[in-house]
Amino acid sequence: MNGFLLLALVGYLVASVAIHLHVFTGSERARAAVPAITIGAAALHAVGIVLQAVQERLCPFVAAGPTIGFAGWLLALGQIALARRRQWTAAGAILLPLAFVALFYAGVTPRPDAPATAIVRDPRFSLHVLPAILGFCFLALAFGAAVLYLAEQGLLKRKRAALLFARMPPLAPLGSAAHRLAVVGFTLLTLALGSGVLWALSWPEWHRWYVEPKTLTTLIAWLVYAVYLAYNHLAGWRGRRSCYLLIAGFTMVLVAYFGVRHFWSRLPGF
Amino acid sequence: VALVLIGSSHKTAPVTLREKLVVTGKEVFDTLRTLRETARARECALLVTCNRTEIYAVTDDGEWQERLVASLARRVGLTPGQLREHLYTFEGLPVARHLFRVASGLDSLVLGEAQILGQVKEALQLARGAETAGPLLNGLFQHALAAGKRARAETEIGRGAVSVSLAAVQLARQIFGELTHRVAMVLGAGKMSAQTVRFLLDEGVSPRVLVCNRTPGRAAALAEEFGGEAVPWERFPEALARADIVISSTSAPHPVVTPDHVRAALRHRRGRPLFLIDIAVPRDVDPAVGDLDDVYLFNIDDLQQVVDRTLSERRREAQRVEAIVAEEVARFEGWLRTRAVAPTIAALQQRAEQVVAEEIARVGGKLAHLDPRDREVVQTLARAIARKLIHPPIARLRAAAAHDGFQEIEAVRRAFDLDTPAGRDGADTDAEAAG
């Protein structure tokens, strides 16, 4: 991890603390500081990613660590876009810690010795990975919105907190945002899966990829989102139950990406 | 010269007295001028709200207080002694502290209310209009406005709802975000529900308010008042599917909105939240309705709790506002001190210009051979040298003002010989205005 990335990591941590300070104590100074810190950290992060790619002569998406780090950067960008509206700054309470964890993960994951296997050198790899990583980010954003929705919904149901409300995004728009983000995320995930399948078919040992736990878990995640969207369109599910599905879907995405990588994967670098 | 304040507010005077002290409309200009004469003041401003009347003045008259109290006592028909019990007075910096607290909403009947900032601004504009506001009151009120704005921007003193109706509106905004195109429905009728609907209409809810009452005539009358639509009583369960915000205040002895009604409505709502405000006692909405998904039910006690919690959170915020007020008072004090050195700086600049003018006049004959453009260059050069020379002492003076450096001010005055007739500034100072 180079100096820029390290500073960005510290920036995300400080911004996460600041936004929580605002949400729970109402400190306006803390809120006012969040956009500037996030922009600074995201800028450092961008420089860090480019520098690392140049130094190692490696596209950031070929290894797991930098890919997740990049996703963290996209989440920080999402937060910057959201924080332009006062009440939506609170979304950072979920997004900024996620960005921090992503970059931290990128830093502690051992980097591959060999620059890349033949697979990742294939240009079709980018067609698979780009939608996958963007999809991951959109689904993470949808997850964040769903968590906030449930938290706020719980507060409203229990009739708790008066001013805490004023620091959170309004409920119905939060639900719609979660839905729209999930639609985009699902489309990208479908693209990633489709391009992945087509690409794998050209491999001699293609059948090995189908029984790979990662493929299966991703498929389950895709199914969860498909059920979510079907219910949304057909039965008009919008509220609490649909948020649980979004959380379940993203949990499956995390299992597909991290769990399988560390615990079950039989194919290295997949 | 002293900055003074005399006033009365909800904290010191009963409403019967406060209403006599209210000055409105065209009366204000005359009152301001009369007050200025009475207090023998150079400047005078009047801050009038429903809960306070305060006179701000800059005067060097030692008996301003007696004069003003006597004049006010005549106005309200009391003896000065009786009136004095209901008045408070301040002199010097405490005047600034008081006004800054007022502007921040700390001294308001409803802690942190927002109207007061506009009223402080209006007081300044009126005094300017009556030409009774001079540099000192202008500065004081500008600093007060800055303090008030900071309090609102940097703390949560003005956030949240402080009445049951406003709490309902705030909750609606929190549930739906923008209220445009949301449909409100009134069950029954009552003052509070009418007020809540008016607030909601102000927030932009659809003007087609649904009104439902057991007496069709009353429903029609109320619907007409809001420009809405009367719904027959027996059809309110169907209307529940259309309405987003329902305000219920019937006089029914038992719940009229049951979980079955709401469950049926939810089937048509496709997950859109439903916000039920039950302000009736006994309650109109079965409490079990609140357990349904996507339904938010608040009764009168719940709303009152929101108000209470907001007020207690505002009380906590008040400590932060006090800190801002203290900072702004210190800033105002600094401004006063800078003003105190202003005459010295002006004298120094005047002296420099005078020297340049004299010297140019002296050598005028010798420059006659130059063309006008070259003569202009020489004059500009002379002025530039003079300005450069007096720049460091002016910077020292400004710095000295910030830390009571009266000796330094004296040193500059002596060094540049500013107190001899040629260099006298003659302007009076507000140096002692601070206290």
Side-chain angles (χ1 to χ4, degrees):
Chain A
M1 190 177 255
N2 60 41
F4 288 101
L5 294 178
L6 210 59
L7 279 175
L9 188 69
V10 174
Y12 291 147
L13 181 66
V14 174
S16 301
V17 172
I19 192 63
H20 280 94
L21 208 64
H22 165 68
V23 170
F24 291 105
T25 71
S27 163
E28 281 298 303
R29 271 189 198 173
R31 186 188 67 80
V34 171
I37 302 174
T38 316
I39 290 171
L44 288 166
H45 194 167
V47 175
I49 289 175
V50 173
L51 211 66
Q52 199 167 47
V54 171
Q55 277 169 354
E56 299 177 2
R57 293 174 177 279
L58 207 67
C59 162
F61 308 131
V62 296
T67 310
I68 293 300
F70 182 74
W73 181 70
L74 289 178
L75 290 179
L77 289 192
Q79 162 64 16
I80 292 167
L82 281 178
R84 293 205 317 235
R85 286 171 70 181
R86 191 180 187 285
Q87 271 190 309
W88 287 82
T89 314
I94 310 276
L95 295 182
L96 288 169
L98 276 180
F100 171 78
V101 171
L103 185 52
F104 182 76
Y105 177 84
V108 296
T109 315
R111 309 185 58 75
D113 293 332
T117 61
I119 303 169
V120 295
R121 280 170 184 271
D122 193 312
R124 279 171 292 183
F125 179 75
S126 310
L127 274 179
H128 169 63
V129 164
L130 270 178
I133 187 167
L134 282 171
F136 176 83
C137 288
F138 275 96
L139 295 175
L141 288 170
F143 163 81
V147 170
L148 266 186
Y149 185 99
L150 288 178
E152 188 169 352
Q153 196 249 192
L155 284 173
L156 274 167
K157 281 276 187 197
R158 278 177 284 137
K159 290 145 193 172
R160 294 281 294 279
L163 284 181
L164 187 61
F165 288 147
R167 299 171 208 137
M168 293 178 101
L171 193 71
L174 199 55
S176 317
H179 177 66
R180 283 199 295 268
L181 291 164
V183 169
V184 179
F186 176 76
T187 313
L188 289 163
L189 186 67
T190 311
L191 262 173
L193 266 176
S195 59
V197 167
L198 286 177
W199 178 40
L201 277 176
S202 66
W203 281 78
E205 285 187 85
W206 60 269
H207 56 275
R208 276 184 66 195
W209 297 82
Y210 282 108
V211 290
E212 170 66 19
K214 181 166 181 170
T215 319
L216 292 175
T217 43
T218 312
L219 211 59
I220 296 172
W222 185 88
L223 276 174
V224 173
Y225 283 110
V227 168
Y228 161 82
L229 289 174
Y231 266 106
N232 240 295
H233 286 291
L234 299 176
W237 270 21
R238 278 289 148 84
R240 195 166 57 92
R241 278 175 296 180
S242 67
C243 284
Y244 283 134
L245 272 183
L246 284 181
I247 290 171
F250 190 66
T251 313
M252 267 336 277
V253 169
L254 288 180
V255 170
Y257 203 93
F258 300 102
V260 173
R261 173 184 304 281
H262 292 298
F263 304 113
W264 301 309
S265 186
R266 296 172 295 143
L267 292 164
F270 182 36
Chain B
V1 183
L3 184 57
V4 300
L5 155 67
I6 189 163
S8 107
S9 73
H10 57 277
K11 290 189 173 164
T12 58
V15 67
T16 45
L17 176 61
R18 292 203 309 270
E19 65 191 8
K20 286 181 189 157
L21 285 169
V22 168
V23 187
T24 50
K26 289 177 185 163
E27 222 189 332
V28 176
F29 283 176
D30 291 337
T31 312
L32 273 168
R33 293 190 192 108
T34 316
L35 283 171
R36 183 168 62 174
E37 275 170 38
T38 312
R40 296 186 179 161
R42 294 179 195 191
E43 301 179 34
C44 180
L46 194 56
L47 174 64
V48 184
T49 74
C50 321
N51 293 313
R52 75 179 65 241
T53 299
E54 291 179 344
I55 300 162
Y56 291 83
V58 178
T59 179
D60 38 20
D61 184 84
E63 289 166 14
W64 65 272
Q65 218 180 102
E66 289 72 21
R67 291 180 205 282
L68 278 179
V69 173
S71 151
L72 290 174
R74 272 197 302 280
R75 185 187 171 101
V76 297
L78 290 175
T79 66
Q82 286 169 322
L83 179 62
R84 207 180 275 274
E85 285 174 26
H86 302 292
L87 295 175
Y88 44 85
T89 56
F90 293 105
E91 271 191 56
L93 272 185
V95 174
R97 184 170 174 272
H98 176 80
L99 180 59
F100 294 3
R101 291 186 79 250
V102 168
S104 310
L106 285 178
D107 204 48
S108 297
L109 186 60
V110 176
L111 186 64
E113 57 97 11
Q115 268 186 324
I116 185 67
L117 200 57
Q119 288 158 333
V120 169
K121 198 171 181 177
E122 199 191 345
L124 175 61
Q125 280 161 351
L126 287 171
R128 278 179 185 164
E131 294 178 345
T132 57
L136 195 55
L137 284 189
N138 261 302
L140 173 72
F141 276 74
Q142 294 289 5
H143 278 83
L145 291 171
K149 279 182 199 153
R150 270 192 68 192
R152 261 162 198 80
E154 293 174 27
T155 74
E156 297 194 320
I157 189 84
R159 288 197 200 290
V162 286
S163 77
V164 167
S165 299
L166 283 174
V169 175
Q170 188 206 357
L171 284 165
R173 263 208 313 257
Q174 196 58 40
I175 293 170
F176 299 107
E178 294 286 319
L179 294 182
T180 344
H181 307 309
R182 298 288 174 181
V183 178
M185 174 158 98
V186 183
L187 280 184
K191 245 189 194 170
M192 207 185 283
S193 47
Q195 193 189 25
T196 310
V197 170
R198 263 180 228 114
F199 281 140
L200 285 170
L201 285 168
D202 286 346
E203 287 289 324
V205 292
S206 157
R208 288 197 73 79
V209 177
L210 307 176
V211 183
C212 202
N213 197 295
R214 275 186 210 276
T215 325
R218 287 191 72 180
L222 209 60
E224 198 180 345
E225 190 189 329
F226 298 130
E229 177 188 332
V231 176
W233 179 256
E234 57 283 359
R235 300 190 66 175
F236 91 79
E238 293 157 47
L240 277 177
R242 278 165 67 199
D244 298 302
I245 303 159
V246 179
I247 305 147
S248 188
S249 62
T250 75
S251 46
H254 49 76
V256 288
V257 182
T258 63
D260 286 340
H261 287 141
V262 179
R263 233 178 261 125
L266 285 177
R267 263 179 238 128
H268 300 281
R269 299 185 60 82
R270 297 184 62 86
R272 272 184 300 136
L274 178 64
F275 179 29
L276 295 159
I277 305 156
D278 183 1
I279 45 185
V281 179
R283 288 175 292 177
D284 279 345
V285 184
D286 187 325
V289 167
D291 297 331
L292 297 172
D293 263 357
D294 304 320
V295 176
Y296 303 94
L297 169 63
F298 281 74
N299 64 35
I300 187 88
D301 281 2
D302 302 329
L303 292 174
Q304 189 56 49
Q305 257 182 40
V306 171
V307 171
D308 292 346
R309 226 172 271 136
T310 303
L311 283 173
S312 81
E313 289 187 37
R314 281 190 181 191
R315 277 193 286 277
R316 212 189 56 208
E317 287 297 289
Q319 291 168 4
R320 286 194 206 170
V321 178
E322 293 283 8
I324 289 176
V325 166
E327 277 173 38
E328 289 298 316
V329 169
R331 200 192 295 260
F332 177 68
E333 197 183 1
W335 177 80
L336 277 181
R337 285 185 181 150
T338 319
R339 270 178 53 79
V341 298
T344 305
I345 292 173
L348 194 53
Q349 283 164 338
Q350 210 181 340
R351 166 59 57 94
E353 274 169 34
Q354 193 186 355
V355 170
V356 170
E358 280 170 10
E359 289 307 302
I360 285 173
R362 201 165 59 82
V363 297
K366 291 176 191 163
L367 299 177
H369 65 284
L370 297 176
D371 65 42
R373 260 186 65 190
D374 288 342
R375 271 206 296 276
E376 184 70 34
V377 170
V378 172
Q379 285 176 12
T380 312
L381 174 75
R383 276 191 216 107
I385 292 172
R387 264 205 304 274
K388 281 250 161 78
L389 276 173
I390 62 167
H391 180 262
I394 286 178
R396 296 285 316 167
L397 281 172
R398 292 216 166 101
H403 60 263
D404 273 339
F406 290 114
Q407 285 182 336
E408 282 172 73
I409 298 171
E410 267 317 295
V412 171
R413 292 192 80 90
R414 273 204 303 276
F416 286 88
D417 201 16
L418 298 180
D419 292 314
T420 59
R424 264 195 77 78
D425 52 86
D428 50 24
T429 104
D430 295 312
E432 61 282 38

